Amino acid sequence: MRPVELPPRVEFTLENGLRVVAAQRRELPLVSLLFVTDAGSSRDPFGKAGLASLASELLLRGTKKRAPGEVTRAIEAVGGRIDAAADRDRAYVSVQALAEHLPLALEIVADVVSSPLFDPRETEAARRRQVAELEQSKDDPAAVARRNLLAAYLPPDHPYAAPVPGWTSSVSRIGRADLVDFHRTSVAPQTSFLVVVGDVDADEVRRLAENCFGDWKGPGHGGHLPPFPRRTRPKVRAIHKEESTQTQVRMVGPAELRWKDPIFFPAMVANVAFGGGFTSRLVNEIRVNRGLTYSVGTAFALLRGGGFFSFSSFTKNETVGELLSVLLQESRRARENGFEPDEIERAKRYLAGLYPLGLETNEQVAAAIAETILFDLGEDWVPRYRERVMAVTPMQAAEAAARFFFADPFALVLVGDRDAIRRGIEDAGIDAEIEDLPLDEAA
Amino acid sequence: MPASLARTLDSTRFPVIERRLDNGLQILLLPRRSVPAVNYTTFFRVGSRNEEPGRTGLAHFLEHMMFNGAEKYGPKEFDRTLESVGGTSNAYTSHDLTVYFEDFPSEALETVIDLESDRMRALALAEDLFESEREVVKEERRYRVDNDLFGTMEEALASLMFSTHPYRWPVIGWMEDLDASTRQDALRFFRTFYAPNNAVLVVVGDVDPERALGAIEAAYRDIPPGPPVPAVEAVEPEPTAERRTRVDFPSHAPALLLGYRALPATHPDTPVVEIIETALGAGDSSILMERLVYETELASDVHVSHDLRIDGSVFMVFADLPPGGDVSRVEGAIYEELSRIADEGLPAEALSRARSIVRASLLQSLAANGGIAHALGEHQVVFGDWREAFRVIDRYQAITPEDVRRVARELFRDANRSVVTVVPEAA
C-alpha cells in the first residue's frame, strides 16, 4: 500500500485564541474553508430544541455590515458557495471558492461568525421556514425515523434527545433574544478553529486571518454534558403513517466508544463485517438472501457525550417481523461467536482500501484535519490509519461485537402502517415498552 | 474568465489516452497520482429509453443483476472479491445510460479488470437470484416512489409530459412490469445492449498507463461485439396546450412540480439552458430562491434542475410550500420570473454570476478521480468526444443576453409546460 499523507500544514493561534490551520494543495486553483465552533444542538436549552440549527442558518442572513441576502450574493457572484449548519456537538461554516477569492472568503466567514445581525424579520422568517420544513418532513418516513432515533432511546430532557432541527413545538418557542444570547455565549474564538485547504500560501492565510478575525472577542465556555442513562428494557417508538406500503426500521443502542480507545479500530472493522459493508452479514441475510429490502446499514455515531450504534433499513408491511427477527438473531450471533477470519480480512481490506478516497478533495482534506483537531488524534492518525486497521484481529473484532452490537436494551423506531408495526413486533417476539407516537408529534 | 481557471479548464491539460478495441470497446485512460487510488467507470449506452412497454424497469433491474454472478465470478463473488482488495462499487441507471463504477487502491487494478470483463462477457442471470432481486427492486420502488412525495410527483410529471416516447415511464419501471419481467427478457436485453461496441470504459487515477491498457486489452478483446443497437425511433409530438394533474398523496403541505420540455443534450443551445437553470435556482441568491423563499416566503424551498437527455432534456422547478401555502400564488410568481427572462434575457450581473457558478462547479468536479471519469465518459457517450466537457466553458463565455432571451422564449411557453401539484385534503 502506498502511504497516504495529508498535505503539510501550518498551524497558528491568533491572540484572541482562534486556532488556524492552513494546508497547501496546488493541483487546482481552488480553496476550501471550514470554520468549526462548539455550538451544537446539545447546547439548546430544554424546550428550545432547534436553537443551534436556527442560529447557524441565520449566520448567512445578514451581518452588521451586510444586509440580509448580501452574504450569499457576495460569494455566489464569484462562483463560490457558503454553507452553515449545526450538528449535535458543533456548528460549521464552510466556503468553497476559487483560490484567488481567498481574501473575500475569509473576510465573509469572519464577518458572519463575529457579527451576525439576527435581523428581526429574517429571524421570524427563518423560524417559519424551519417549522414548515419540519411539517414537510412528516411526509418523509425515513426522515421521521432518523429524527426520532435518539429521542426514542434517551429521556426527553437529555441534550442529545431532540433532533438537531428541533420539534415544531420547540422551534415555535424560539425568539430573537434566544438566538442573540445563544450566539453571544456559544460562539467564541477560544472554542472555535478554522481550517483552510487549497492553492493558498500559509503566510497569506495568517495575514488575512489576523486582519479579519483579530478584533473578534467572545467569552469561552466549558462543554459539559450529562452522561446518558442506560435503558433497562427495550423500547419501541411506533409512528403510524397513513397509506404506507413500507415500514422504516431503525434500532439504536449505546456504544461507549471513543476515537482513541484501543477498541476503536476493532469496532470499525466489526461494523463493516456486520452491517457497514456491501457484503456484510446483514446485507447478505436481509437483502441478498431474502430480498427483504433495498437498503441495510449499521453505523457508529461517536458524540462528545457518548456513542451510539444504530441499524437502518426498511421493508414492505408484510415482512417487518421477518426483518426484525433476522436482525436480532444476527446481532446475537455476532456478539456470541464473532466473525470468520475471512470476513474480518475482507472488512479490513475494504476499510483500508477506501480510506484514501475520503482524502481526494480540499473539502475532504479540511474535514480530515478538523477531525484530528476535534478528537486530538495526533499527526500520525492519517498516515497510520490503514496500518492500524490491518492490525485488527478476529478476536478483537469479536470483542467489539460483544460490547457494541445491541448487547444492552435498545430502542427501536418503526414508521409505517400501525397494524404492520404491531404484527412485526409480535412476530419477532420483542418484549418491549411500546410508545405509540402520533405522526404530528414526531416532527 | 480568471486566467488560472482558463489554464486549468483547458483539455490539453488532461492527457487522456484513447483506444478502441476491434470489438468496438472505447477506452479513455487518464493517469493521475493525487491519491493512491483508481476510479474505473463503465458507461453503457442504454437506459429506460431503450425499454418496451410491458417490460419497463428492465434496464435498472439488469443493473442489479450485474452484481449477481457471471462466468468466472459466481453469485455474491463480485462484491466479495472487490471488497477483499479494498475496493467499492456501485452503479446507476438513467433514462439514457447505465453506469458502473469502482473505486479502489492502485494495486487492485487487475482484479477489477477481471471482474468487469467477466460480467460483460458472460453474465449468469441465475434464476433464484433473479427472483430474490426482483423483491429488492420492488422495495426500492416502494421506497423511492410509492412512499415518497417527490418520487410520486416526478412519475406523474413524466406521464404528463410524454405520451409516446419511453421517457413517459419511470426508470425504476411500473410495479406490474417488475412482476412480469422474466429472466429471458433480461438475457435478451443484456445481449442486445451490454456488448463492447455499446460501451465506454474510463479509467482515472494512479495507474501505469501502458500496463493498464495492456491488461484491459487482454481481458476484453475476446468479447464478441453485439449487433448494432436498435435505434429509439419514438418521436414525441409537440405539446399544444399546458397539461396539469393533481396527485393524491397523504401530505402535510402543498408542493408544486413544473416540467418544461427542453432541448436534446447535444443541441448547441443546451449550455444556454444550463445558464438559465443556474441563474434561476443555484444558490440562496438565485432568482427563485430570493423571490419565493426569502422575499415573499411563498415557498420554503425551491429546486431547479435540468435533466440532460439524448432525445430531449427536461427542465424542472420543484417548490415545497409551507403548510396552508397557496400553490397558485407560487405558480404565478414563478411564471413572472420565467416571462421576465423570456422578455428581457438575464441582467449582466445575473449572467456573470451564473457563468462563474457553472465554471466553478466544473472545476470542483475535476477534484476527484470519479468526477473526472464521469465528466469524460458522459461526454464521450453522449457527444462522441470527451473534449466537449471542456469546450462547454467557451460556450458559456460566448452566451449573450439575446441568446438567453431567445432560448427562454421557446422553453417557457405555456403550451410547453406540465404541472403537478399536491394539495393536502384539509387545505
Side-chain angles (χ1 to χ4, degrees), chain A residues 287-291, chain B residues 128-136:
Chain A
R287 174 175 157 149
V288 181
N289 290 352
R290 293 182 177 80
Chain B
D128 54 336
L129 287 165
F130 192 81
E131 289 313 316
S132 64
E133 202 63 42
R134 187 200 303 278
E135 295 308 313
V136 173

Side-chain angles (χ1 to χ4, degrees), chain A residues 1-4 27-30 61 72-73 76-79 96 98 100 121 125 128-129 132-133 135-136 138-139 141 241-246 248 277-279 284 287-289 291-294 314-316 346 349-350 353-354 356-357 359-361 439-440, chain B residues 2 4-5 8 13 32-37 64 76 79-80 83-84 86-88 103 105 107 132-133 135-136 139-140 142-144 147 206 250-253 282-285 290 293-295 297 300 320-323 353 356-357 360 363-364 366-369:
Chain A
M1 277 191 267
R2 248 184 64 195
V4 181
E27 192 190 9
L28 294 170
L30 291 170
R61 299 301 304 168
T72 44
R73 245 170 256 154
E76 289 173 2
V78 295
Q96 319 304 326
L98 295 185
E100 66 191 77
R121 185 194 169 273
R128 284 192 289 269
R129 211 156 48 234
E133 280 165 13
E135 286 291 333
Q136 289 152 359
K138 292 175 187 169
D139 300 331
K241 190 174 181 312
E242 294 292 329
E243 296 179 40
S244 305
T245 56
Q246 189 175 55
Q248 287 286 335
F278 200 71
T279 64
N284 198 40
R287 174 175 157 149
V288 181
N289 290 352
L292 292 176
T293 192
Y294 168 65
F314 49 78
T315 192
K316 60 186 176 295
R346 195 165 68 230
R349 288 177 178 272
Y350 176 73
L354 292 194
L357 298 171
L359 297 169
E360 280 197 274
T361 66
L439 183 59
D440 271 326
Chain B
S4 64
L5 203 54
T8 311
R13 285 227 349 185
R32 186 170 175 267
R33 294 180 61 88
S34 62
V35 287
H64 277 236
K76 302 184 182 179
D79 286 302
R80 276 188 191 164
E83 287 192 1
S84 67
T88 182
D103 284 288
E107 53 274 16
S132 64
E133 202 63 42
E135 295 308 313
V136 173
E139 284 296 344
E140 185 178 355
R142 287 185 193 103
Y143 174 66
R144 288 194 199 280
N147 293 275
D206 181 23
S251 115
H252 285 76
D284 278 359
S285 66
E290 288 210 331
V293 177
Y294 294 114
E295 283 166 22
E297 292 186 58
S300 51
D320 269 319
L321 274 66
R353 173 188 178 277
S356 300
I357 291 177
L363 193 57
Q364 298 278 5
L366 300 179
N369 290 336

Side-chain angles (χ1 to χ4, degrees), chain B residues 227-426:
Chain B
V229 169
V232 175
E233 280 164 358
V235 176
E236 184 64 31
E238 273 299 304
T240 52
E242 184 196 87
R243 300 163 187 186
R244 178 178 285 270
T245 191
R246 178 174 158 171
V247 166
D248 186 24
F249 190 90
S251 115
H252 285 76
L256 168 71
L257 178 62
L258 305 176
Y260 290 91
R261 280 176 49 192
L263 303 159
T266 53
H267 192 285
D269 283 333
T270 286
V272 183
V273 184
E274 290 179 311
I275 287 289
I276 296 172
E277 172 206 6
T278 306
L280 279 171
D284 278 359
S285 66
S286 60
I287 292 169
L288 290 182
M289 281 298 286
E290 288 210 331
R291 168 93 192 256
L292 294 173
V293 177
Y294 294 114
E295 283 166 22
T296 61
E297 292 186 58
L298 288 172
S300 51
D301 207 359
V302 183
H303 299 274
V304 180
S305 64
H306 178 217
D307 186 15
L308 285 179
R309 296 189 198 168
I310 292 173
D311 301 323
S313 307
V314 172
F315 190 95
M316 283 188 280
V317 180
F318 177 70
D320 269 319
L321 274 66
D326 183 343
V327 172
S328 62
R329 286 185 64 197
V330 175
E331 273 193 75
I334 294 173
Y335 300 155
E336 255 180 56
E337 294 303 332
L338 303 186
S339 304
R340 198 191 316 276
I341 300 178
D343 291 342
E344 302 164 15
L346 283 169
E349 208 178 309
L351 186 55
S352 141
R353 173 188 178 277
R355 274 194 198 117
S356 300
I357 291 177
V358 290
R359 280 193 313 243
S361 9
L362 176 61
L363 193 57
Q364 298 278 5
S365 75
L366 300 179
N369 290 336
I372 300 174
H374 267 81
L376 299 178
E378 274 173 9
H379 286 85
Q380 184 68 36
V381 175
V382 176
F383 292 84
D385 188 355
W386 59 268
R387 290 171 193 80
E388 282 298 320
F390 302 95
R391 282 185 196 129
V392 72
I393 289 295
D394 295 331
R395 302 236 163 84
Y396 293 138
Q397 208 58 27
I399 291 170
T400 64
E402 175 51 29
D403 291 328
V404 172
R405 204 168 67 90
R406 174 176 51 83
V407 171
R409 205 169 5 175
E410 185 60 24
L411 180 64
F412 297 136
R413 280 175 300 123
D414 291 357
N416 193 36
R417 175 167 71 222
S418 296
V419 185
V420 179
T421 60
V422 165
V423 181
E425 271 168 27

